[in-house]
Amino acid sequence: MEIYRKLNKGKWERPSDKMAVYTEIEKGKTWGIRVTLIDDYARVEAINGPKCVWYNAPPELSAEVRPPSILERIRGITFADKLFAEVEQKREVARRKSL
């Protein structure tokens, strides 16, 4: 799957049969990203360490990525496109916070 090939700088875990968690924190940095794949959607977060948990986090730190709508599919947008766009936004947040 394209998602697993592109998210390869960090560590994948599989806490359950319906969930996969990818954590990416660069060496020497505190902030990184976490991507949680759940059934047909994903949660992408900028995290402050591997054990970080957010409750009601602002959109800058945490976002839910849903499958493309009919109009998005007509325009050729895939779930992977939406996911990687959000991953790049959260990587940027993590880079800014790590400074």
Side-chain angles (χ1 to χ4, degrees), residues 3-4 12 18-21 35-39 41-42 79 83:
I3 293 169
Y4 298 107
W12 279 101
K18 295 186 177 197
M19 182 187 297
V21 179
V35 178
T36 307
L37 302 175
I38 309 165
D39 286 332
Y41 71 97
F79 177 72
L83 179 67

Side-chain angles (χ1 to χ4, degrees), residues 34-50:
R34 179 184 303 128
V35 178
T36 307
L37 302 175
I38 309 165
D39 286 332
D40 66 340
Y41 71 97
R43 174 153 301 282
V44 183
E45 303 168 296
I47 56 172
N48 185 7

Side-chain angles (χ1 to χ4, degrees), residues 3-60:
I3 293 169
Y4 298 107
R5 283 193 304 264
K6 285 191 175 181
L7 294 176
N8 59 8
K9 297 177 188 172
K11 178 181 160 189
W12 279 101
E13 299 174 45
R14 189 160 175 106
S16 74
D17 288 345
K18 295 186 177 197
M19 182 187 297
V21 179
Y22 172 77
T23 306
E24 177 184 298
I25 300 174
E26 293 179 24
K27 283 201 183 281
K29 303 286 183 176
T30 306
W31 283 81
I33 64 164
R34 179 184 303 128
V35 178
T36 307
L37 302 175
I38 309 165
D39 286 332
D40 66 340
Y41 71 97
R43 174 153 301 282
V44 183
E45 303 168 296
I47 56 172
N48 185 7
K51 302 289 184 191
C52 179
V53 177
W54 297 119
Y55 296 101
N56 298 322
E60 177 191 22

Side-chain angles (χ1 to χ4, degrees), residues 77-93:
I77 298 171
T78 66
F79 177 72
D81 295 334
K82 291 176 70 173
L83 179 67
F84 293 126
E86 196 61 48
V87 164
E88 285 307 314
Q89 288 180 357
K90 297 308 178 242
R91 280 179 176 158
E92 184 55 36
V93 170

Side-chain angles (χ1 to χ4, degrees), residues 52-81:
C52 179
V53 177
W54 297 119
Y55 296 101
N56 298 322
E60 177 191 22
L61 296 177
S62 181
E64 198 170 274
V65 179
R66 290 282 176 183
S69 66
I70 292 171
L71 294 176
E72 289 172 326
R73 283 185 275 170
I74 289 171
R75 288 185 275 155
I77 298 171
T78 66
F79 177 72
D81 295 334

